[in-house]
């Protein structure tokens, strides 16, 4: 038997290239990887299959339609809009504080104070959504109502602000980790060249931590898009795109909050169920797009 | 006595970290246009001495300095010292080569870019000049736009020196610059030190005694944070006065 015919042999040679031998570790890990990939594939297939009747009966208006009346028509646009808007608001409100805070904690705070801030942030990052939702209901929404003179504080703004507060600890602590993981010798070399501390932070530490910071931000976006209960409690629950479209003081609806409200009552059959599954599919595709954009950005950010 | 102050003058200095004294009773000066070797076993305080001169210990936990340290006549641990300007005058090369994750060219002008951004147009020229001065030009002239990380350790160390040269320092502190390099790169760096000391005041920490003998006019022997002996290299190497120095040199 020639050595190249035996895949178990160490270093089989094919056309002058050598391949490492494949031992038990290879096959065990490959098996687990296949199970994980298969599960994700089955999930996606199930979502597609279940939502197909709704997509077929509605056609494009499923994505573009503005009305959702159970038993008549199912238009997903208000929910897509609500999800995008709440997430965008969350980012706009949270990023300045999260990134500024991460830079401050990582670069300027003495070691002991840093550990205290970090442990508080990590604690907050683990608080369940329902707790944030209750606080949002009892404090944030009424506060927004009074501050802006609204009839009802439950609005896209309340949802966005609450999501911003929710993702802030995660984004901040992960960005801070990324900054801390830039080796000190780079900072020392830059300092020894006569750069100021600010210049060192922004032309050495931040650029090198950028892939990690971007990862933290995309994780935050993913969490904001998928958050259900906290949003459900403060977004207002009305399937409508406000006019003008940027009126964030109006109530709205996000995809998860819609699913959270209606999934139990329509469970299992009928076009309503299929339409809800279609919403789930849209949400899945949106989060996949975010992850994909994140990867693309990271590949470009790397030197 | 002439009028120009020595590049570096240290008077009765004491350095401690969190109450632990690392350097004590340091009293010495360094001459212009010559190289001084700082020798001593590891842990004796060579790195700390060099870092103290460039105020690189400022951010260290519990760092305390007592005494006086003059760079070109002005006291650097006094009030109102512009630390960034000081570091522009005092270049430092570290033991472990460290290049930024940027191209060779960008690394060469990295410090310059922050000190004189208005000369952006001249950067390629200037980069060539300093890479030549660091004896690196011929090896990198065809890959100026490649990441600096692909260079060998010895080339990276010379790139770090070119980067420091570009800022225009008058004093060069080199902390065991060849300790992690192969013989060929070591030779290139030694050649570089010979040319640097024509114009600059070079302080070279090393535990390679042959290197100190080859490159330096003056020697400072540091032991457990104190200067045990100092003087012209030939005198210290051939006729050490101190018991400790004799023991260290003969090992
Ligand atoms: N930041 C610091 N904190 C506490 N001790 C330090 C610090 N830096 C150096 N030392 C101590 O100072 C002594 C001298 O260190 P160093 O200057 O690095 O010696 P060398 O460069 O001669 O090997 C060592 O005992 C070391 O543990
Ligand atoms: Mg050392």
């Amino acid at each position: 038997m020639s050595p190249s015919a035996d895949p178990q042999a160490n270093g089989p040679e094919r056309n002058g290239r050598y391949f490492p031998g494949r031992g038990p570790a290879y096959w065990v890990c490959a098996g687990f990887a296949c199970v994980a990939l298969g599960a994700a594939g089955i999930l996606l297939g199930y979502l597609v299959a279940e939502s197909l009747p709704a997509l077929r009966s509605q056609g494009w208006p499923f994505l573009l339609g503005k009305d959702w009346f159970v038993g008549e028509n199912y238009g997903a646009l208000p929910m897509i809009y609500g999800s995008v808007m709440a997430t965008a608001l969350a980012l706009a409100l949270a990023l300045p504080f999260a990134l500024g805070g991460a830079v401050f904690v990582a670069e300027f705070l003495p070691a002991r104070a840093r550990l205290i801030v970090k442990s508080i942030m990590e604690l907050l990052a683990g608080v369940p959504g329902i707790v944030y939702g209750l606080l949002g209901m009892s404090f944030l929404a009424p506060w927004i109502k009074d501050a802006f003179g609204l009839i009802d504080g439950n609005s896209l703004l309340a949802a966005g602000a609450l999501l911003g507060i929710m993702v802030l600890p995660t984004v901040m602590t992960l960005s801070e980790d990324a900054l801390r993981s830039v080796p000190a010798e780079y900072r020392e070399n830059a300092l020894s060249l006569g750069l100021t501390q600010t210049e060192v932070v922004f032309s050495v530490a931040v650029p090198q931590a950028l892939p990690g910071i971007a990862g933290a931000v995309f994780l935050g976006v993913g969490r904001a898009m998928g958050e259900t209960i906290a949003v459900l409690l403060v977004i207002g629950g009305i399937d409508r795109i406000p006019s003008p479209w940027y009126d964030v003081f109006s109530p709205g609806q996000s995809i998860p909050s819609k699913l959270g409200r209606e999934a139990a009552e329509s469970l299992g059959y009928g076009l309503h169920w299929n339409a809800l599954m279609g919403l789930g599919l849209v949400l899945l595709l949106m989060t996949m797009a975010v992850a994909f954009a994140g990867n693309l950005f990271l590949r470009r950010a790397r030197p | 006595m002439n009028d120009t102050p020595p590049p570096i003058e240290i008077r009765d200095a004491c350095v401690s970290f969190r109450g632990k004294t690392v350097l004590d009773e340091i009293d010495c000066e360094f001459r212009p246009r010559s190289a001084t070797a700082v020798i001593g076993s590891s842990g004796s305080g060579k790195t700390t001495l060099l870092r103290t001169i460039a105020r690189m210990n400022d951010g260290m936990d519990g760092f305390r300095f007592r005494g006086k340290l003059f760079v070109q006549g002005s006291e650097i641990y006094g009030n109102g010292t512009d630390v960034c300007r000081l570091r522009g005058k005092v270049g430092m090369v570290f033991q472990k080569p460290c290049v930024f994750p940027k191209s060779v060219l960008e690394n060469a002008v990295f410090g310059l870019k922050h000190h004189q951004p208005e000369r952006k147009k001249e950067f390629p020229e200037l980069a060539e000049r300093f890479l030549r001065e660091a004896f690196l030009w011929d090896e990198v002239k065809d890959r100026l736009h490649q990441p600096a990380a692909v260079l060998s350790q010895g080339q990276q160390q010379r790139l770090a020196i070119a980067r420091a040269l570009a800022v225009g320092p008058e004093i060069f502190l080199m902390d065991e610059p060849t300790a992690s390099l192969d013989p060929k790169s070591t030779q290139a760096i030694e050649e570089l030190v010979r040319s640097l000391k024509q114009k600059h005041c070079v302080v070279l920490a090393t535990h390679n005694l042959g290197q100190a003998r080859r490159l330096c006019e003056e020697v400072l022997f540091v032991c457990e944070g104190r200067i045990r002996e100092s003087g012209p290299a030939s005198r210290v190497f051939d006729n050490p006065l101190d018991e400790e120095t004799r023991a260290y040199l003969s090992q």
Side-chain angles (χ1 to χ4, degrees), chain A residues 93-153:
Chain A
L93 294 173
L95 276 195
F97 298 99
L99 300 186
V103 167
F104 178 71
V105 172
E107 305 287 332
F108 299 107
L109 222 52
R112 190 172 302 167
R114 203 183 86 234
L115 284 183
I116 295 173
V117 176
K118 280 286 280 183
S119 32
I120 293 175
M121 284 295 149
E122 270 152 26
L123 207 71
L124 287 180
V127 174
I130 179 67
V131 176
Y132 281 103
L134 292 174
L135 292 176
M137 258 174 93
S138 46
F139 296 111
L140 185 66
W143 181 78
I144 286 179
K145 175 180 170 225
D146 294 339
F148 297 98
L150 308 177
I151 300 163
D152 182 7

Side-chain angles (χ1 to χ4, degrees), chain B residues 46-47 95 175-176:
Chain B
K46 304 182 294 293
T47 300
Q95 178 169 351
D175 186 14
E176 307 193 33

Side-chain angles (χ1 to χ4, degrees), chain B residues 73-148:
Chain B
S74 48
E75 210 199 323
I76 63 164
Y77 282 95
N79 291 331
T81 304
D82 182 342
V83 179
C84 294
R85 266 195 60 203
L86 170 76
R87 292 184 188 136
K89 283 193 287 189
V90 183
M92 185 144 189
V93 177
F94 296 85
Q95 178 169 351
K96 193 164 160 261
C98 171
V99 295
F100 298 111
K102 296 167 183 286
S103 72
V104 174
L105 188 85
E106 282 174 293
N107 263 281
V109 297
F110 185 86
L112 194 64
K113 198 172 79 190
H114 287 88
H115 288 280
Q116 302 175 310
E118 70 281 357
R119 296 175 73 184
K120 197 172 188 326
K121 281 218 181 76
E122 303 166 56
F123 283 171
E125 264 169 66
L126 290 166
E128 174 173 351
R129 185 176 136 207
F130 294 113
L131 287 169
R132 277 187 196 283
E133 279 185 36
F135 298 125
L136 188 60
W137 176 252
D138 290 328
E139 288 162 61
V140 300
K141 62 173 185 263
D142 300 321
R143 37 182 181 162
L144 289 174
H145 298 285
Q146 282 181 26

